[in-house]
Amino acid sequence: MTYVVTDNCIACKYTDCVEVCPVDCFYEGENMLVIHPDECIDCGVCEPECPADAIRPDTEPDLEKWVEFNRQYSEKWPVITQRKDPLPEAEERDGETGKLEKYFSESPGEGD
């Protein structure tokens, strides 16, 4: 099992989760985070920290595509281990549907 970041992170990018991760398996894109599925130790401490409820265990139905999505971008983006401010539109975009198609950016974030 692993945890994955889903599309509700897009355009929010809360980073409360990275502070509690004991293995530093979060990676930062321009407008979202991902978890490297091979580095995640399945501890689950990140899941309740996400204000956008964007972190889910891969055992939930229909999350296979998110495992691969997280793997793909964690291999391209820089690691992030310290909390940063969320994106300015985070509150407004939290819970919005269709965020992958509307807002996702493949560009890397700054990392640490």
Side-chain angles (χ1 to χ4, degrees), residues 33-52:
L33 305 174
V34 292
I35 295 171
H36 194 300
D38 297 335
E39 296 174 2
C40 177
I41 61 170
D42 314 325
C43 67
V45 296
C46 60
E47 185 181 17
E49 297 300 317
C50 180

Side-chain angles (χ1 to χ4, degrees), residues 42-97:
D42 314 325
C43 67
V45 296
C46 60
E47 185 181 17
E49 297 300 317
C50 180
D53 195 31
I55 300 173
R56 313 301 315 154
D58 73 343
T59 54
E60 288 187 4
D62 303 320
L63 288 182
E64 298 84 11
K65 75 173 188 173
W66 288 105
V67 173
E68 286 313 308
F69 181 95
N70 277 244
R71 181 185 314 282
Q72 177 184 352
Y73 289 100
S74 65
E75 292 174 357
K76 296 178 180 179
W77 293 345
V79 71
I80 178 172
T81 60
Q82 297 178 358
R83 187 180 183 284
K84 297 179 180 180
D85 290 335
L87 295 176
E89 67 270 19
E91 243 179 75
E92 178 185 325
R93 299 278 186 243
D94 187 4
E96 186 176 328
T97 59

